Amino acid sequence: MTTPDLFSPQPTPAERAAELRATLHHHAHRYYTLDAPEIPDAEYDRLFQELQAIEAAMPELRTPDSPTQRVGGSVLDGFKPVRHAVPMLSINTETDTEATGARNFDARVRRALGLAEDDPPVEYVAELKFDGLAMNLRYEHGVLVQAATRGDGEVGEDVTQNMRTLRQIPLRLPAGAPPVLEVRGEVYMRRDDFEALNERQRERIAAGAKGEKTFVNPRNAAAGAVRQLDPAIAARRPLSFFAYGVGELTPAEQGGPSFDTHHALLMQLKAWGFPVADQTALARGADELVAFHQRIGASRDQLPYDIDGVVYKVNSLALQRRLGFVTREPRWAVAHKYPAQEQMTTVLAIDVQVGRTGKLTPVAKLAPVFVGGVTVTNATLHNEDEARRKDVRVGDTVVVRRAGDVIPEIVSVVPVSLNGGSDAPTTRGVPFTMPTHCPVCGSEAEREPGEVDHRCSGGLFCAAQRKQAMLHFAQRRAVEIEGLGDKLVEQLVDSGVVKTLPDLYRLGFTALAALDRMADKSAQNIVAALEKSKRTTLPRFLFGLGIRHVGEATAKDLARHFGQLDRIMDATEEQLLAVNAVGPVVAHSIRTFFDQPHNREVVEQLRACGLSWEESEPAEQVPQPLAGQTFVLTGTFPTLSRDQAKDLLEAAGAKVAGSVSKKTSYVVAGAEAGSKLDKAQALGVPVMDEAGMLALLNNT
Ligand code: IVH
């Protein structure tokens, strides 16, 4: 982050090395000992590499206490130290995230083995590099006797009590296990478990619990849980485990097992009951390593946990022995990274955006930063409380995280004193407050008691809300007006041509073609799309109106129940409550919407413009045998499309959700079902196939 400054003198290499050592010591302590880092790993790595480079050029500057000379991690007071029977090594890291990372490793291995170019490819095991913390599990005569962290590689911490609470770690091995077996692997936290844990932590903090904190990422949450001194608290923290190797193992001569390959060893660990990642694969030669790196990289966001790269290991144990070690790193393994999921950047501004229902959302505008494989320029701060809790201010240096499919988030603010060199600002901007008025229309902003959000009270008077309302109405899942996107709506509303939804249908070709940058052909297309959208369905129309709390599913339920729009518009809250899945909040919101004369007017005008749909008699309380049950669909079904399956289930009263949770009643899995199936199995949610689902529907 340090940029050269023309006015302050450049530090000498000795001064810079000393500064880096102090900074790295500070951050290593925050990371390894306190589990509360202040800067992203990627930033730490950059500082570390800068120090390494200075020391390489000027070895006389290398001090024995330099962070480059140790593994990091020290024993926290309160845990018994454990000397590892076999040191826990670190692994050489290939930071080149491109294919060359894999090719360089293969070339190094071949050179070290003295292989010629026409010799056959080397066989590797390709694994995921889990982003958690290393654990050594020691079994004597098949019983778990000790679990220890890596610590500095030689001496770790005894965390046996805490690890015993992990259901994925066997306490006892099947008969035939060797007299001594140390299993090594990674303790980690799934992303959903992490989110849920932080949610609980926030509630505890809000309730006044002392000494509680939220965690910046799943890795730190896992580290915090493993090294939690109170095993009862540790037991409540949801941890998972993957095995990837062994430490001490009774030799074959003394009755231990013997393996020829790393892969065979992993398969044996699996047979003994240790989780081994399904993605683990054999790869022959550099090309297959590259293919693995790319394949996993493409599906990284879909994994339920964070990985920061992949690991390649020479498969043959005989070759591993021949390759040996350089300092503390084996020559037979390498970690090949992916773009980091956390980076540092600065906050340029905090804007407040107005949503369709008037919700005001503070959004941090960021100096562009490449994180998790994409360039990020915005991060939502959700609401005032959240912005205050994180205390993000304009000018701050912040840690941005983008992992999985979730939207980028600011995880923390980097303390001013640490965010760079002498040119970094030493004071901060003012704390964020929500504006008292809507930044778009100037109407008062309100926050109702018990709500976290501020809303613009301007309703459809507010141009921002009108634009969002139109885009909502025009979207594919509503009435679908093809070609009516952000830019066009912006133009139509800002120029004053369109004030209300029905105005859209009164736009003729002439008015459209007169707009800036609008070709005749495009204007014709929009006219045709508007015409086409007039023939719609009741659920689409209802959903398109954008009534608060009325999503697609509720719109379908309402349409099915009442059959006709007028009946819905005139229904009392009590009558609305009779609809499957409509509760008091939703009923009240629907009633309030249709009580507003201008909303009824919009509906009338849209009908007058020719919007139409089929109506039917109200459903004669069709039995809803699956009411109250939630299904999740995953994979490809042999006969039904996803939508058809969804319709069948919904017609029987079931809810169809997009993600699996403990509340899911059933997961229906087809071919190539992905992480949702894994999750169902992990949570013990019953799984059925299409035939099972059809049988269930028939029986009920
Ligand atoms: S093997 C001798 N395999 O990465 C090699 N490590 O510095 C020892 N890690 O903290 C490590 N996934 O906990 C290996 N599939 C994997 C791994 C893995 C994650 C971690 C490990 C250690 C670091 C390596």
Side-chain angles (χ1 to χ4, degrees):
M1 288 295 287
T2 329
T3 42
D5 179 333
L6 294 176
F7 302 103
S8 59
Q10 283 290 299
T12 63
E15 283 164 357
R16 181 63 184 151
E19 187 182 16
L20 285 167
R21 276 197 303 270
T23 310
L24 288 165
H25 274 309
H26 169 85
H27 290 304
H29 179 72
R30 300 277 322 185
Y31 181 95
Y32 288 108
T33 311
L34 303 180
D35 301 318
E38 291 166 332
I39 59 169
D41 295 1
E43 186 61 24
Y44 183 88
D45 293 345
R46 266 192 291 277
L47 297 169
F48 193 88
Q49 281 158 13
E50 188 187 343
L51 181 58
Q52 270 181 327
I54 297 177
E55 289 176 347
M58 286 169 254
E60 67 279 12
L61 294 181
R62 188 175 290 145
T63 59
D65 73 333
S66 171
T68 60
Q69 304 304 302
R70 61 203 291 268
V71 180
S74 54
V75 175
L76 195 65
D77 286 347
F79 286 109
K80 211 172 80 210
V82 173
R83 179 160 291 279
H84 297 300
V86 177
M88 290 183 80
L89 302 163
S90 72
I91 195 167
N92 181 276
T93 302
E94 191 55 73
T95 44
D96 182 344
T97 59
E98 300 300 316
T100 30
R103 298 196 188 283
N104 290 345
F105 169 64
D106 180 57
R108 282 198 301 274
V109 167
R110 295 183 68 87
R111 209 176 314 123
L113 291 173
L115 294 176
E117 233 171 80
D118 50 359
D119 282 324
V122 174
E123 189 171 65
Y124 299 99
V125 177
E127 301 175 12
L128 303 183
K129 186 169 190 299
F130 313 104
D131 202 6
L133 65 159
M135 187 63 57
N136 185 64
L137 303 172
R138 186 176 172 91
Y139 292 81
E140 290 177 4
H141 305 288
V143 177
L144 176 67
V145 293
Q146 187 179 68
T149 63
R150 180 165 82 159
D152 65 3
E154 304 286 336
V155 178
E157 296 154 316
D158 185 336
V159 290
T160 316
Q161 289 301 359
N162 291 350
M163 286 304 97
R164 283 215 171 100
T165 64
L166 252 81
R167 248 169 273 152
Q168 286 184 327
I169 292 180
L171 297 178
R172 183 177 282 282
L173 301 180
V180 172
L181 166 69
E182 288 185 354
V183 175
R184 289 187 174 168
E186 198 86 349
V187 175
Y188 67 96
M189 195 178 284
R190 294 169 51 105
R191 276 197 290 268
D192 52 358
D193 285 333
F194 163 72
E195 300 296 343
L197 170 65
N198 260 357
E199 190 57 44
R200 284 201 302 276
Q201 290 299 99
R202 274 194 285 275
E203 281 165 15
R204 299 173 81 88
I205 295 167
K210 288 274 164 299
E212 298 284 0
K213 61 168 188 171
T214 56
F215 299 92
V216 298
N217 58 36
R219 203 214 75 91
N220 291 111
V226 166
R227 305 160 85 226
Q228 168 58 244
L229 285 168
D230 180 350
I233 298 179
R236 289 203 299 269
R237 305 263 167 94
L239 293 172
S240 304
F241 179 78
F242 274 126
Y244 55 62
V246 292
E248 191 184 355
L249 178 61
T250 310
E253 314 76 80
Q254 293 166 33
S258 100
F259 303 102
D260 292 333
T261 65
H262 178 64
H263 193 259
L265 182 146
L266 289 180
M267 292 307 108
Q268 180 58 258
L269 292 181
K270 199 170 166 169
W272 279 327
F274 295 93
V276 173
D278 288 341
Q279 287 82 357
T280 309
L282 284 168
R284 286 166 58 82
D287 287 344
E288 292 190 19
L289 293 181
V290 170
F292 182 83
H293 185 255
Q294 284 169 352
R295 181 157 52 83
I296 298 297
S299 59
R300 179 189 188 195
D301 282 351
Q302 273 82 56
L303 290 172
Y305 44 82
D306 284 358
I307 58 170
D308 56 351
V310 290
V311 178
Y312 313 132
K313 297 172 184 170
V314 169
N315 191 25
S316 153
L317 298 184
L319 290 185
Q320 284 191 6
R321 280 188 290 273
R322 257 177 69 192
L323 285 159
F325 300 86
V326 248
T327 56
R328 274 181 311 261
E329 294 170 355
R331 257 197 218 95
W332 44 264
V334 80
H336 191 188
K337 292 267 204 169
Y338 289 121
Q341 291 175 318
E342 288 182 7
Q343 290 289 358
M344 251 161 64
T345 188
T346 45
V347 177
L348 304 176
I350 300 178
D351 285 0
V352 173
Q353 290 177 354
V354 188
R356 173 172 63 80
T357 56
K359 180 179 175 240
L360 302 185
T361 307
V363 176
K365 300 280 156 183
L366 306 170
V369 59
F370 188 69
V371 49
V374 303
T375 299
V376 170
T377 53
N378 285 326
T380 177
L381 293 169
H382 303 287
N383 54 53
E384 184 178 42
D385 292 353
E386 192 69 6
R388 287 262 181 92
R389 191 176 65 74
K390 290 187 176 153
D391 192 19
V392 177
R393 307 185 192 183
V394 176
D396 280 353
T397 298
V398 291
V399 180
V400 178
R401 173 177 156 87
R402 183 193 166 273
D405 282 331
V406 292
I407 48 174
E409 247 212 320
I410 292 182
V411 292
S412 59
V413 174
V414 180
V416 167
S417 57
L418 296 166
N419 66 3
S422 45
D423 56 339
T426 49
T427 54
R428 298 181 64 199
V430 293
F432 172 80
T433 47
M434 264 301 189
T436 53
H437 292 81
C438 170
V440 174
C441 74
S443 302
E444 238 167 271
E446 299 167 336
R447 177 175 175 177
E448 275 169 39
E451 294 244 348
V452 292
D453 295 321
H454 283 70
R455 280 174 202 284
C456 159
S457 59
L460 291 180
F461 169 73
C462 176
Q465 292 188 53
R466 254 181 297 149
K467 287 176 194 169
Q468 295 299 325
M470 275 176 213
L471 287 170
H472 178 78
F473 187 75
Q475 69 176 296
R476 195 178 51 81
R477 286 148 54 217
V479 305
E480 185 168 25
I481 308 174
E482 222 177 295
L484 191 80
D486 288 5
K487 291 270 145 45
L488 183 54
V489 165
E490 183 103 30
Q491 234 183 332
L492 289 168
V493 173
D494 290 346
S495 66
V497 184
V498 168
K499 293 202 171 57
T500 65
L501 271 182
D503 285 349
L504 277 175
Y505 289 93
R506 299 190 191 109
L507 275 173
F509 170 80
T510 330
L512 278 164
L515 293 170
D516 269 1
R517 297 183 306 275
M518 174 69 79
D520 284 2
K521 181 80 188 112
S522 315
Q524 268 161 16
N525 288 344
I526 303 281
V527 172
L530 280 161
E531 205 45 47
K532 189 170 158 209
S533 73
K534 288 183 182 172
R535 186 80 202 134
T536 184
T537 66
L538 181 52
R540 282 167 171 271
F541 182 80
L542 255 183
F543 170 60
L545 288 177
I547 306 168
R548 253 183 102 190
H549 305 301
V550 178
E552 258 181 303
T554 308
K556 281 184 192 167
D557 289 339
L558 287 165
R560 200 178 299 121
H561 184 96
F562 290 100
Q564 297 162 15
L565 182 60
D566 288 322
R567 289 179 192 269
I568 302 172
M569 288 171 60
D570 295 334
T572 62
E573 285 188 33
E574 206 163 43
Q575 288 167 330
L576 288 164
L577 282 172
V579 180
N580 175 34
V582 170
V585 175
V586 185
H588 182 72
S589 163
I590 298 169
R591 200 53 265 141
T592 313
F593 184 90
F594 287 118
D595 278 342
Q596 311 238 359
H598 76 255
N599 286 334
R600 298 184 87 94
E601 183 63 29
V602 163
V603 171
E604 282 332 307
Q605 290 186 17
L606 286 170
R607 284 205 269 217
C609 289
L611 271 93
S612 66
W613 51 87
E614 250 170 56
E615 300 213 316
S616 59
E617 282 311 302
E620 278 307 324
Q621 290 313 326
V622 205
Q624 301 249 291
L626 298 184
Q629 311 228 35
T630 305
F631 285 68
V632 172
L633 307 176
T634 176
T636 315
F637 304 126
T639 66
L640 298 171
S641 73
R642 272 287 185 102
D643 281 338
Q644 286 169 327
K646 187 170 179 221
D647 284 345
L648 285 175
L649 288 167
E650 284 177 349
K655 207 177 129 205
V656 178
S659 61
V660 181
S661 76
K662 291 180 184 108
K663 292 192 191 123
T664 309
S665 320
Y666 294 99
V667 166
V668 187
E672 275 153 54
S675 61
K676 291 178 190 170
L677 181 57
D678 298 341
K679 183 151 181 208
Q681 280 156 350
L683 292 175
V685 172
V687 176
M688 58 172 76
D689 58 6
E690 184 196 84
M693 178 188 80
L694 291 172
L696 180 73
L697 285 164
N698 270 334
N699 291 341
T700 47

